[in-house]
Amino acid sequence: MQTAQRIIKSYRRRRAIVCVLAGIVALMVTLAFRFISERNLNQQRVALFTHHAVATLDRLMLPLISSRKALAPLVGVACSDVHLQLRKQAASLQTVRAIGLIENGILYCSSIFGNRNVPIHQLQPALPASQPLLVLSTDQSLLKDRPVLIMWYPTTPDGQSGVIEAVNIELLSSLMLEPQAPLITGVILSVAGRHLVHGKSVLTDLPLLADEKRYQRASQNFPFTVSVSGPGSTRLALRHLPSQLPLALMMGLLTGFIAWFATANRMSFSREINLGLAGREFALFCQPLVHAQSLQCVGVEILLRWHNPRQGWISPEVFIPIAEDQHLIARLTRYVLIETKRQLHLFPADAHFHIGVNVAPSHIRHGELLKDLHRLWFTGRPVQQLTIELTERDALLDVDPRMMRELHRYGVKIAIDDFGTGNSSLSWLEKLHPDILKIDKSYTAAIGTDAVNSTVTDMIIALGQRLNIELVAEGVETQQQAQHLRQQGVQTLQGFLFAVPMPIEDFPDWLAGNTAPPARQNDQVAPLIPG
């Protein structure tokens, strides 16, 4: 059996866990989103950088192809006749450092030096060649050992004659291939197995990577590749992830707060009550009331029991106060009225047979109970006497006496349940004019003892008799108690001495003289759930 504090604490703990988990998930999702976003952005930046470098170099070198038509006819012509034209062509191309004409493997004319007589293979060992070539090398004539990119166009089938154009690649690399730390720490231009590292000379082997990643893009127009190296998009994004933690924490806290408010109804005991009503998890029990003299059953008190498949048996002492706090007590009362009316055939069809239903005073306000009785009870024209048992949990002073008069007008009897334990007052006894006072079991248990409650019990009995109010003693468990109450003039007795609360469908067997069945839990004999 669970207490109200335990079950509410359990729900709050579960709700808090859900909110914390929601906040953690939001934090992790935010970090993951920021990580993926930054990683993708880094990848895009690397791709854009290499694309821009290749496209720019392509755009600067494409005019060199167009210049072939103008330069090829000059091969073999005397240098004095074409020198000026070579200089004009070199100046128009802008990126070209020098243009040279080669005949039979001899560089005989240069746009810078004019007449020359140097075997081309001494300057560039890869030349002459029978196929057009793009050569990354070092300058051996103008700027010694400085990087140079040479384009070779043969003009004869044997490749011994042709045109070379030396591109000022060092200047271009400083403009287009400059690293962008921390994403890009190194940029390399690779041509035919030779590599120009930004800020360094031409190398024959690619530099080894020190825990870095390399990304390459090749030109679609020329045989060169641009490579970039750096820590990698993923590693860089992870390195910057701590800077996203404040945002992620804010998102986690915000999500946690939203989850807390969103789960106020979905993860609360009031929701469990609503689910229980919808799933018909509540069962009706009843406890007989017997005449003090004849010991004949004169009525029953309808009790509500709840076997929650998620929590097990839940005591009325747990769910009734919570239902009152959450304004769900009226729904429970309507459920009891509906189920009781549906099973009225289980009770004697006698106008003197009392059927007591517990009602909270809050349900009576504004005529709500009267409307429910018209809709749910009186339509069935029940023969039995309906008794509304008001509990003293709420202040009965708030009950409108006019509603009491209306209930009396429709033949409903009013009983004050657990009399003496709540906000008892002679003034509201006069205002409400109850028909029945039910003496609380704590006073019944004091009978035969020297406790103060024993004297109070006799005072309550005397008060009821003086006001001509019928008395019902609850919690009668011994013959001594029953004898004393009988002698004091109490009309009706209720307690374990006569019957324990039983499922309503078992009442006919008990009434026929069978032994009252014990309270059941999971189809096994179990301690009684408090009424």
Side-chain angles (χ1 to χ4, degrees), residues 136-333:
L136 180 61
S137 183
T138 52
D139 194 351
Q140 299 299 325
S141 57
L142 181 61
L143 300 175
K144 294 290 187 179
D145 298 325
R146 304 302 292 272
V148 63
L149 184 63
I150 296 176
M151 294 190 70
W152 160 256
Y153 307 113
T155 56
T156 58
D158 59 2
Q160 292 299 306
S161 300
V163 179
I164 62 170
E165 294 175 291
V167 178
N168 192 356
I169 193 60
E170 186 176 28
L171 176 62
L172 292 179
S173 67
S174 64
L175 295 176
M176 298 181 301
L177 306 180
E178 183 177 1
Q180 296 180 358
L183 181 60
I184 300 173
T185 57
V187 184
I188 302 172
L189 174 65
S190 300
V191 180
R194 308 200 73 185
H195 315 282
L196 173 61
V197 181
H198 182 269
K200 299 181 180 180
S201 60
V202 177
L203 305 175
T204 56
D205 296 310
L206 276 172
L208 297 177
L209 294 177
D211 197 23
E212 290 185 327
K213 302 292 183 180
R214 179 170 287 152
Y215 179 83
Q216 296 180 332
R217 179 180 289 269
S219 169
Q220 300 297 316
N221 301 301
F222 299 95
F224 72 83
T225 300
V226 174
S227 304
V228 297
S229 58
S233 302
T234 299
R235 182 179 174 190
L236 193 61
L238 285 174
R239 186 186 300 172
H240 291 169
L241 198 58
S243 65
Q244 307 298 327
L245 194 57
L247 175 62
L249 287 173
M250 290 178 59
M251 292 300 296
L253 290 173
L254 179 61
T255 303
F257 280 121
I258 293 174
W260 180 260
F261 290 111
T263 56
N265 292 325
R266 295 190 64 83
M267 293 194 66
S268 64
F269 194 67
S270 60
R271 177 173 171 80
E272 284 289 342
I273 294 176
N274 286 320
L275 290 174
L277 288 170
R280 302 179 65 84
E281 298 169 2
F282 291 91
L284 295 189
F285 277 52
C286 66
Q287 187 171 27
L289 287 75
V290 300
H291 191 273
Q293 299 298 331
S294 66
L295 298 183
Q296 295 296 311
C297 180
V298 295
V300 293
E301 179 184 358
I302 302 298
L303 304 171
L304 198 59
R305 296 292 183 260
W306 185 14
H307 183 262
N308 185 318
R310 296 165 293 281
Q311 298 285 346
W313 284 99
I314 299 178
S315 169
E317 293 180 352
V318 174
F319 69 81
I320 294 296
I322 297 175
E324 290 177 346
D325 291 340
Q326 299 296 324
H327 309 290
L328 293 172
I329 192 65
R331 289 199 62 187
L332 290 176
T333 303

Side-chain angles (χ1 to χ4, degrees), residues 282-288 300-306 316 319-320 335-336 340 356-358 389 417 438 474 494 496 500-504 528-531:
F282 291 91
L284 295 189
F285 277 52
C286 66
Q287 187 171 27
V300 293
E301 179 184 358
I302 302 298
L303 304 171
L304 198 59
R305 296 292 183 260
W306 185 14
F319 69 81
I320 294 296
Y335 181 89
V336 170
T340 303
V357 175
N358 290 279
E389 300 187 9
D417 196 16
K438 300 191 72 173
E474 298 180 300
Q494 178 183 359
F496 292 175
V500 298
M502 66 191 73
I504 192 172
L528 182 69
I529 304 173

